Amino acid sequence: MSLVGKKFPNVAIDAMSEMGDDLRINIFEEATNNQQKVILFWYPKDFTFVCPTELHAFQEALPEFEKRNTKVIGASCDTNEVHFAWLNVAKDNGGIEGVTYPLLADTHRQLANALGIVDQDFEYNEEGEEVFTGSNVTYRATYLIDETGKIFHESVNDMPLGRNVKEYLRLIDAYTHVQKHGEVCPANWEEGKDAMKADRTSTAEYLAKN
């Protein structure tokens, strides 16, 4: 079930800073108390394969998110200790040394289960006993949260599929344009391109020019 348009869960989760500090982060409060947007991206596990490429990609784009008053937060179900160990492994050895944004450590899967992004299922065998199936880690889920704590974008990739970080910057630009100007953004809209009023005449004029 989609959570777009709903408030992000108001819950604090353990997290790790790049300096090794244990934190407690409430995503909803990060957005509402600081009047900023938040991008929260989940990845399956530390010390894996596609995951470090994504963490470094978000790090490289960090100045662009900061320009847009958007806080970047990563998340998995690993512990703070595992996060910190990975932060101390060099990039050219498969690690995430150099990543400076915080990483949630949702070890109890409290938030991940509330979002419905954990690869897990329960079945019953012939004896009626509950049998757990799945990897019990999260998919590559991404949430964009606005200054009111509302989710305005969510996407979920299967585990082998890395994300395109530039698309989240485009979505933030588009949503900010809507907030500022009250216009809607057509397909493939980018900053500086024409937007539309939410009416039939404006749509027709846009399509006639494009």
Side-chain angles (χ1 to χ4, degrees):
M1 182 179 68
S2 174
L3 298 176
V4 170
K6 298 180 174 63
K7 297 293 186 182
F8 196 86
N10 189 349
V11 58
I13 301 294
D14 287 339
M16 172 60 62
S17 77
E18 82 278 9
M19 300 301 294
D21 299 320
D22 292 323
L23 309 172
R24 292 281 288 176
I25 293 180
N26 183 317
I27 300 295
F28 179 84
E29 291 182 353
E30 284 289 330
T32 56
N33 291 354
N34 298 317
Q35 284 299 286
Q36 63 183 350
K37 294 180 176 67
V38 175
I39 178 166
L40 172 66
F41 73 96
W42 294 81
Y43 60 93
K45 285 193 292 187
D46 292 357
F47 292 97
T48 51
F49 319 112
V50 176
C51 298
T53 70
E54 293 193 309
L55 271 75
H56 285 297
F58 278 104
Q59 179 65 35
E60 289 169 9
L62 196 59
E64 291 300 321
F65 285 108
E66 291 172 346
K67 283 181 190 176
R68 293 160 172 81
N69 191 33
T70 300
K71 186 174 183 68
V72 176
I73 299 175
S76 78
C77 298
D78 295 282
T79 66
N80 271 352
E81 292 77 13
V82 176
H83 282 338
F84 190 55
W86 204 24
L87 282 162
N88 281 282
V89 177
K91 180 179 179 181
D92 61 7
N93 197 28
I96 59 168
E97 186 178 38
V99 167
T100 61
Y101 50 81
L103 301 175
L104 296 189
D106 190 19
T107 54
H108 298 293
R109 292 158 176 76
Q110 179 183 6
L111 181 54
N113 279 321
L115 297 170
I117 58 172
V118 181
D119 174 29
Q120 61 181 5
D121 202 359
F122 297 93
E123 301 174 354
Y124 292 91
N125 61 23
E126 293 179 356
E127 289 74 35
E129 299 169 327
E130 194 173 60
V131 178
F132 171 81
T133 60
S135 65
N136 206 32
V137 299
T138 65
Y139 295 104
R140 298 187 192 281
T142 312
Y143 296 88
L144 296 178
I145 300 107
D146 73 9
E147 298 85 350
T148 70
K150 186 183 81 172
I151 299 168
F152 66 92
H153 169 84
E154 67 175 335
S155 59
V156 183
N157 290 6
D158 201 356
M159 294 171 196
L161 306 176
R163 283 162 277 218
N164 183 339
V165 174
K166 291 180 181 179
E167 173 63 4
Y168 302 113
L169 293 169
R170 189 193 73 83
L171 287 167
I172 292 167
D173 286 342
Y175 190 77
T176 302
H177 184 92
V178 172
Q179 289 176 308
K180 287 183 177 179
H181 303 286
E183 296 180 316
V184 294
C185 296
N188 300 320
W189 184 90
E190 295 177 343
E191 186 67 48
K193 291 187 176 181
D194 290 339
M196 308 182 301
K197 294 184 175 64
D199 60 50
R200 190 173 300 173
T201 300
S202 183
T203 300
E205 291 173 351
Y206 178 87
L207 290 173
K209 292 194 299 182
N210 295 277

